[in-house]
Amino acid sequence: MTNKYIYFVANWKMFGNLRSLNSLDKVIKFSKTNKKKKYKIIYCPPNTLIRPMSKRLKKTTIQVGAQNCHHTYEFGAYTGQVNSSMIKSVGAKYVILGHSENRQIGETDNLINLKIKSAIKSGLKIIFCIGETLKEKRSKKTNQILKRQIEKGLKSIKNKSKIIIAYEPVWSIGTGAIPKEAALTQTISFIKSRFAKKYPKILYGGSVNNKNVEKLKKIPNIDGFLIGGASQSSKKFIDIIQKTII
Ligand code: 13P
């Protein structure tokens, strides 16, 4: 990792209630005492916590994001959904889109493309998740899948300055398994090669923890991590940050 900002994105998934916000205090304290290092912390809690979390983080450098949004920019009759401007209005600066847990329940590349466009219109930054399944990896289709996800997901989006790519192999999420160093190096370099000279930031996600992060941080061109399970423990999350930025 170089002299650039390193991203630590906490994806809380469907975990957390108002009481869970108390766990932020340690992370706030950490960020206040480690001001000189170049890193960004972004918490993506469930929608129910975006507002209270934003308030709690008001006087800090830690930012908040959502985990998904509806593809329609306008208001509309979509029961149970929220759109990009609604999450923005309660304090989100980022949104995770294309997460494999949503692709698995029917989100298509085209739908993700519409969501990204709507999020850009609302002024949000996008953490755009891509990644292959175990079956695809075994049949050596990783690059082909990533190419399709990138091309379709970012179709007709000229200005990619708001996009951050998160490479999350589906087989690595929540399993404890991470890609081998050589394979991950190759995949990140492949993702980079899909963009012109100025490529987006690239994060890695999938079973990142305080034991494997020192290995992962050595992979060239990784700008940070998208962290699920380990981000729910402030102790583990701080440990991951510390081990990366030191
Ligand atoms: P885990 O870190 O729990 O494997 O989850 C990764 C993830 O899906 C983050 O978006």
Side-chain angles (χ1 to χ4, degrees):
M1 286 185 171
T2 53
N3 198 19
K4 294 183 291 187
Y5 275 94
I6 303 168
Y7 284 68
F8 299 92
V9 184
N11 177 5
W12 273 12
K13 307 193 179 186
M14 201 174 75
F15 292 94
N17 51 25
L18 286 171
R19 220 180 316 144
S20 320
L21 298 180
N22 294 334
S23 71
L24 295 176
D25 292 348
K26 276 192 196 137
V27 183
I28 294 172
K29 197 169 160 214
F30 171 85
S31 73
K32 287 192 171 156
T33 49
N34 287 275
K35 273 191 185 148
K36 291 207 176 113
K37 303 269 182 194
K38 286 178 119 182
Y39 64 98
K40 286 184 198 285
I41 300 175
I42 300 146
Y43 268 95
C44 301
N47 285 346
T48 45
L49 295 179
I50 294 178
R51 185 66 173 168
M53 192 183 258
S54 304
K55 281 188 176 166
R56 191 110 167 199
L57 295 173
K58 211 170 172 189
K59 290 194 181 117
T60 75
T61 53
I62 304 172
Q63 290 189 310
V64 178
Q67 298 172 15
N68 202 356
C69 67
H70 194 262
H71 63 277
T72 310
Y73 178 74
E74 313 296 335
F75 290 147
Y78 300 102
T79 304
Q81 304 290 329
V82 288
N83 70 18
S84 55
S85 69
M86 292 157 102
I87 52 176
K88 174 94 191 302
S89 73
V90 288
K93 300 275 190 291
Y94 291 79
V95 60
I96 297 173
L97 292 173
H99 196 283
S100 63
E101 284 154 14
N102 294 319
R103 290 183 189 262
Q104 276 161 0
I105 53 169
E107 250 188 29
T108 61
D109 292 313
N110 294 347
L111 194 69
I112 294 161
N113 177 251
L114 294 176
K115 290 185 178 205
I116 295 177
K117 286 177 181 160
S118 162
I120 291 176
K121 210 165 163 184
S122 291
L124 292 165
K125 292 188 181 118
I126 295 106
I127 297 158
F128 171 41
C129 302
I130 56 172
E132 82 285 2
T133 62
L134 187 58
K135 195 168 165 225
E136 290 158 349
K137 171 179 137 72
R138 284 191 174 143
S139 47
K140 306 211 179 317
K141 286 194 181 138
T142 300
N143 289 358
Q144 184 189 325
I145 297 296
L146 298 180
K147 179 175 180 283
R148 190 206 76 215
Q149 290 175 337
I150 293 170
E151 279 174 7
K152 293 199 168 171
L154 298 180
K155 195 173 167 207
S156 64
I157 296 170
K158 285 202 181 72
N159 182 356
K160 298 185 182 62
S161 63
K162 295 274 169 67
I163 311 282
I164 297 169
I165 304 274
Y167 170 56
E168 295 205 303
V170 182
W171 51 270
S172 171
I173 296 175
T175 61
I178 58 166
K180 295 212 169 76
E181 205 178 310
L184 185 54
T185 302
Q186 263 176 24
T187 305
I188 298 292
S189 140
F190 175 77
I191 295 169
K192 199 179 144 206
S193 77
R194 303 312 304 163
F195 295 92
K197 237 184 203 165
K198 208 168 159 262
Y199 62 95
K201 293 188 183 309
I202 306 172
L203 314 183
Y204 168 78
S207 293
V208 177
N209 61 38
N210 49 350
K211 304 213 163 67
N212 60 23
V213 75
E214 282 166 309
K215 217 195 249 175
L216 287 167
K217 78 172 191 182
K218 292 191 187 127
I219 307 288
N221 299 310
I222 283 187
D223 297 287
F225 302 105
L226 177 53
I227 305 154
S231 73
Q232 283 166 43
S233 146
S234 49
K235 196 166 169 271
K236 282 187 192 157
F237 193 47
I238 291 170
D239 204 16
I240 290 173
I241 300 171
Q242 241 165 349
K243 284 182 170 153
T244 311
I245 64 174
I246 281 163

